[in-house]
Amino acid sequence: MKVITIKEKILSAVILAERITGKKESLPILSCILLDVGKEISARATTLEAGIDIRVPGEVEERGLVAVPASVLSQTVRSINSEKITLRTEGLNLVVEARGTKTLIKAIPHDEFPKLSRGEEVVKGFSVERDKLLSGIKAVSYAASVSMIRPELGSVYISIKRSGLVCVATDSFRLAEKTIMGRAEQDGADILVPLKHAGELIYILERISDDAVSLHVSDSELSVASERVRFVSRVVDGTFPNYQEIIPKTFVTEATILKNDFAEMLRKARVFSGDDQHVGLHLYPKRKIFTATAQSPDVGEMSDSIDAAMSGEDIDINFHIGYLADCVASIDSDSIVLGFGGASKPLVIRGVSDASFTYLAMPLNR
């Protein structure tokens, strides 16, 4: 194997691939990047649960395969100052050369490297703008459970429709839903992407420049592909909760406020709420009062009011601050509407001019 390529091209590929490597000492091949040189370079990595294949342009002089530890290859390429790099095999090992430097990296037998699966596709050619898919997953992933005790709650749910896709996540205390417009050939693909893999997909989508990506779904995996990068994730075998049933259709109290005012109020309340991070919201529509309170024996207490257009009943209700603040960045609107279902019922937050996003938070029982 011998190929000449641009440092920045191969380095960006190695950095992406390094994130999708395993740490199992019993399977050292999973900590490796496989360089498969055919018409161009293919850099692959897998944890068996997720995988990535990145194609890198280069001047191919000799085809071949080699698998080397990802961390060693990454550090080697980072340290090179030259614009061009030569990668070639010497015996069973990889030699990395550039002006003034030569490094030999011990390889691991590439025959042991697992293939990136290509399951039977159920939905073909679903196309979506890269930045929209990125914003959709980011808008909901924080609401998923960090535990996989209930795998369906530790995942991001993606439902593919002809008109687009819906991303949803919940940990049973709060729920976020984001609708994205796109183009699919058929309805009906519903998948659960483990939260960890959703995070890796966010990282990848932030670092590729393609305008659009395609999604392919099978019973066991999701594949997301751009022109040069393909990411594969296993999907969870489970059923996502019928979340539409728990979203209130009517509200006893509603308030329309500026998003930034709400965010600043919560930021201050976080300082005064101490370890429990609780905030009380007090709405009195007839008196035109919208107040947030927080207190801690170690810090003190606060009571701040903001301007709001309100209707309905008086309500005093408590929330975990994080469950309110986490959603603010996902709302593409200067003003937001807070809909309160009642003293012990969910709060629904939506943007005044952003119908694509819905957020639900359960109150504290006190």
Side-chain angles (χ1 to χ4, degrees):
M1 181 198 96
K2 185 176 182 181
V3 64
I4 301 171
T5 187
I6 304 299
K7 174 193 169 177
E8 292 306 319
K9 299 287 187 183
I10 189 66
L11 179 59
S12 63
V14 169
I15 289 172
L16 284 181
E18 187 178 11
R19 287 185 65 92
I20 317 297
T21 53
K23 303 296 186 290
K24 295 181 180 179
E25 295 181 2
S26 59
L27 290 171
I29 192 67
L30 297 184
S31 66
C32 291
I33 292 174
L34 177 71
L35 298 177
D36 182 352
V37 177
K39 292 183 179 179
E40 56 187 347
I41 306 167
S42 173
R44 298 180 198 144
T46 182
T47 64
L48 297 181
E49 300 292 319
I52 193 167
D53 186 346
I54 308 130
R55 290 183 291 129
V56 184
E59 181 183 331
V60 177
E61 296 186 9
E62 183 180 344
R63 301 185 179 194
L65 290 164
V66 65
V68 292
S71 59
V72 178
L73 180 59
S74 174
Q75 290 300 320
T76 299
V77 176
R78 286 174 193 270
S79 67
I80 292 174
N81 293 323
S82 179
E83 180 186 1
K84 290 188 176 181
I85 294 177
T86 299
L87 304 168
R88 62 180 177 85
T89 50
E90 189 173 284
L92 299 176
N93 301 315
L94 175 68
V95 174
V96 182
E97 291 179 307
R99 187 177 63 242
T101 180
K102 175 182 176 181
T103 305
L104 185 143
I105 303 174
K106 291 285 187 179
I108 291 177
H110 59 76
D111 293 343
E112 300 175 10
F113 194 87
K115 290 185 178 180
L116 296 186
S117 60
R118 286 182 179 272
E120 182 181 352
E121 293 169 0
V122 176
V123 174
K124 298 180 180 180
F126 180 82
S127 177
V128 64
E129 292 178 36
R130 178 193 59 83
D131 58 347
K132 287 186 177 179
L133 178 60
L134 173 61
S135 67
I137 299 173
K138 288 180 73 173
V140 306
S141 58
Y142 57 84
S145 173
V146 295
S147 168
M148 288 298 285
I149 294 175
R150 293 184 61 187
E152 68 276 11
L153 300 186
S155 305
V156 172
Y157 170 70
I158 300 177
S159 179
I160 299 176
K161 311 293 184 185
R162 284 187 184 274
S163 58
L165 57 84
V166 180
C167 298
V168 191
T170 181
D171 60 4
S172 77
F173 298 105
R174 36 88 175 272
L175 179 143
E177 178 197 60
K178 179 74 172 182
T179 301
I180 306 164
M181 303 307 293
R183 300 180 302 280
E185 295 181 1
Q186 64 189 73
D187 276 336
D190 298 325
I191 55 173
L192 290 166
V193 182
L195 178 59
K196 179 182 178 182
H197 299 168
E200 300 297 1
L201 181 55
I202 288 172
Y203 183 88
I204 292 164
L205 291 172
E206 287 177 335
R207 285 159 179 79
I208 61 177
S209 58
D210 301 70
D211 292 333
V213 295
S214 60
L215 280 68
H216 302 280
V217 181
S218 75
D219 291 339
S220 61
E221 72 178 35
L222 165 70
S223 173
V224 181
S226 66
E227 183 179 353
R228 292 192 171 274
V229 178
R230 183 170 73 96
F231 173 75
V232 178
S233 166
R234 75 166 180 87
V235 296
V236 172
D237 182 13
T239 302
F240 197 72
N242 186 4
Y243 68 94
Q244 294 287 0
E245 290 186 349
I246 66 171
I247 299 177
K249 304 299 186 291
T250 59
F251 305 101
V252 299
T253 308
E254 287 190 280
T256 301
I257 56 178
L258 290 175
K259 181 177 71 172
N260 288 342
D261 287 351
F262 188 57
E264 287 299 324
M265 173 186 279
L266 295 176
R267 191 172 292 116
K268 182 177 178 182
R270 193 185 291 273
V271 174
F272 285 89
S273 61
D275 293 336
D276 64 11
Q277 291 289 286
H278 294 173
V279 61
L281 299 183
H282 313 279
L283 287 75
Y284 310 123
K286 291 180 181 179
R287 289 184 282 164
K288 299 182 180 180
I289 296 174
F290 185 121
T291 302
T293 58
Q295 60 182 349
S296 164
D298 298 323
V299 183
E301 59 184 68
M302 59 82 73
S303 176
D304 281 13
S305 297
I306 57 175
D307 293 331
M310 292 177 286
S311 63
E313 304 172 4
D314 292 354
I315 188 169
D316 297 287
I317 191 167
N318 299 291
F319 292 93
H320 188 284
I321 293 173
Y323 283 6
L324 299 183
D326 287 349
C327 74
V328 173
S330 301
I331 302 173
D332 295 326
S333 177
D334 292 334
S335 298
I336 58 176
V337 178
L338 278 61
F340 296 86
S344 59
K345 295 182 180 180
L347 161 67
V348 175
I349 303 176
R350 293 185 172 100
V352 170
S353 58
D354 180 18
S356 69
F357 180 76
T358 299
Y359 185 79
L360 179 149
M362 295 299 295
L364 297 168
N365 294 322
R366 71 176 182 89

